[in-house]
Amino acid sequence: MTTEIEPQSLQKMNLKSVKRALDLFSPARDHIRKSDHNNEQIAPSIALILPGTEGAKEVQKGVTEKALAVVGPALPPRTLNDNTVHAGKSTTVLPAFGSSSERFSSWNLSTAALMERIPSRWPRPEWHAPWKSYRVIQGHLGWVRSVAFDSSNEWFCTGSADRTIKVWDVASGVLKLTLTGHIGQVRGLAVSNKDTYMFSAGDDKQVKCWDLEQNKVIRSYHGHLSGVYCLAFHPTLDVVLTGGRDSVCRVWDIRTNKQMFALSGHDKDVCSVFTHPTDPQVVTGSHDSTIKFWDLRYGRTMATLTNHKKAVRAMALHPKENAFVSASADNIKKFSLPKGEFRHNMLSQQRATINAVAVNEDGVMVTGGDNGSLWFWDWKSGHSFQQAETIVQPGSLESEAGIYAACYDQTGSRLVTCEADKTIKMWKEDESATPETHPLNFRPPKEIRRF
């Protein structure tokens, strides 16, 4: 059973609605148009007038005439001490202007008068072509854990859980060489830019130096107490750095295979390391969720970054800028060098354990997760412009979709990913893509958005 609403209550609701609208849209809060029962005659006639549109003057003129016929002459403005009561209610009126049309046209009926529109200071990302897989290389019998490119960009090598190191041709993807000598999975690889040397590190606690002219081990570096997880060359000094499960980053002299420093300070595994020609010369990331800067002159810590909340499994230095990124399960963060100032987080969260990070000179950063997710980012803004999923090869389990290593070639135009389905995938940009076919859909998050 329904009851009809009395006309008097409808009238009160209409008055309340008109008064609320005037309180909201009036440019001067202390000057509000007089409210009375005749407002219901002009309420349906008032509409938002957009300046610059056709017919705006005619619409404004018609509404002005109706408003003046109802409102009448203007009353003097109300002061702070004016407690005049009209019709049993305290009301305020608009100030008197030179003419009635000026008085009505001064009303700003849009929210632009209430706030200042400030553009976002966040940099707009550059357009990048999407990447696609163009080659799948098979040959390893275990998880592929590491990859490194030669300085000539003619071949690259991969280390696997099958305890072998394989050398592949970049152009054709053909296997050129297989090196055996480790008795554990090969976790780290690095190729020297000066000599024909390649260094490898594995879970067997060993760090080996390979002569690629003789294809055999010429030096072994002993000192780690457990598995070695990462390896890096210094760009100017003849030293190589390794970090492992014993929570220590060790510095080795390439020529004498002697340990120069043992950079100790982390509480858990050291799983990522990179070197820099100037201070800080060594940066390490650990499972204790910290990043440490080291000074090789004295072998001591320069700074410790505690921005992450979970294990830092991968880091990458930008090839041109003095900045680097660190990847963790909580987020991907960008820092400046040499002091390590925090810049910003990436604008999206991959929600995976990220094992691999790589950056090229064009500002394209890639991150690979243990769930097979491969995300491409714009370095400048932190916007993820592509989110790809690796395809597990036939015969593999769906859980073997993890990506353990990623590396760009010397030109930055090709990407190699090492995966848990025992394959190596090569990626390149889609040459047919244009900004029209693949538009840039960018919207800053709410916390950095300005209206």
Side-chain angles (χ1 to χ4, degrees), residues 317-333:
L317 178 68
H318 193 277
K320 291 183 178 180
E321 297 182 14
N322 282 330
F324 72 98
V325 291
S326 58
S328 176
D330 57 355
N331 214 322
I332 305 171
K333 300 178 183 291

Side-chain angles (χ1 to χ4, degrees), residues 30-31 34 42 50 102 104 129 176 238 353 398 429:
D30 57 340
H31 301 295
K34 181 180 179 181
I42 66 169
L50 299 177
E102 291 177 358
F104 188 82
K176 301 177 67 174
D238 290 331
T353 301
E398 292 184 359
E429 290 184 343

Side-chain angles (χ1 to χ4, degrees), residues 320-384:
K320 291 183 178 180
E321 297 182 14
N322 282 330
F324 72 98
V325 291
S326 58
S328 176
D330 57 355
N331 214 322
I332 305 171
K333 300 178 183 291
K334 186 193 297 185
F335 298 92
S336 298
L337 290 175
K339 295 183 179 180
E341 298 95 343
F342 171 72
R343 287 192 180 180
H344 62 84
N345 292 323
M346 297 296 110
L347 299 185
S348 304
Q349 191 170 356
Q350 194 166 349
R351 299 189 182 279
T353 301
I354 300 174
N355 300 314
V357 180
V359 188
N360 66 2
E361 295 183 355
D362 296 332
V364 178
M365 183 179 72
V366 61
T367 56
D370 61 349
N371 59 355
S373 59
L374 190 68
W375 286 28
F376 294 88
W377 311 78
D378 176 65
W379 170 267
K380 183 178 179 181
S381 63
H383 168 64
S384 176

Side-chain angles (χ1 to χ4, degrees), residues 26 70 74 87 136 157 206 217 272 286 299 347 383 410:
S26 178
V70 176
V136 178
C157 54
Q206 298 183 19
V217 178
S272 56
S286 171
L347 299 185
H383 168 64
Q410 300 297 333

